[in-house]
Amino acid sequence: LLVMGFKIFPKTPMGKHLILAGPGRAPAPATRGDRRDLLGKEGTTTSRLRPSGIVDFGGERLDAVTRGELIESGVRVRVIDIHGNRIVVRSLEEREETEEEEELR
């Protein structure tokens, strides 16, 4: 009788409410292996990169990292390197500032 209770109880409304469901089998998100197509591509940060965050590349939002610098949200960036699934970006505004400083010298 006790064994039958353990079999039936989880299927009752009260049993479903009290017993946690096991982990579901959600499919893993598909990943694109080689993202070399992004090298040199420009995008806009949608979050602060400190040093990682999200960059929008023409409607495709991807995780990206910098080489340690902080980049604010809404800044134009360019992909400078790919390491496996890590996308490394650099601020375009930083580059423009450096060029302006050289012109002033």
Side-chain angles (χ1 to χ4, degrees):
L1 187 62
L2 187 61
V3 173
M4 284 182 56
F6 281 115
K7 281 219 166 249
I8 297 172
F9 181 70
K11 296 177 185 173
T12 65
M14 182 184 245
K16 288 179 184 177
H17 184 71
L18 293 175
I19 298 174
L20 295 175
R25 296 205 120 217
T31 57
R32 293 178 61 182
D34 189 16
R35 296 306 311 249
R36 295 278 174 204
D37 59 312
L38 292 174
L39 271 174
K41 193 169 183 180
E42 294 181 9
T44 305
T45 59
T46 59
S47 69
R48 292 176 73 188
L49 274 62
R50 50 181 183 204
S52 67
I54 299 177
V55 178
D56 184 353
F57 295 101
E60 185 177 13
R61 294 171 46 117
L62 299 170
D63 291 325
V65 297
T66 67
R67 291 200 167 158
E69 60 271 9
L70 170 70
I71 300 177
E72 293 295 327
S73 179
V75 175
R76 298 285 299 161
V77 294
R78 176 176 288 139
V79 177
I80 59 171
D81 205 357
I82 306 284
H83 290 287
N85 64 346
R86 179 179 293 167
I87 301 167
V88 183
V89 297
R90 180 179 183 172
S91 170
L92 292 176
E93 292 178 7
E94 175 184 302
R95 188 175 193 181
E96 290 171 0
E97 289 174 6
T98 304
E99 290 173 359
E100 289 174 6
E101 289 173 1
E102 288 176 4
E103 289 175 3
L104 293 174
R105 291 182 196 171

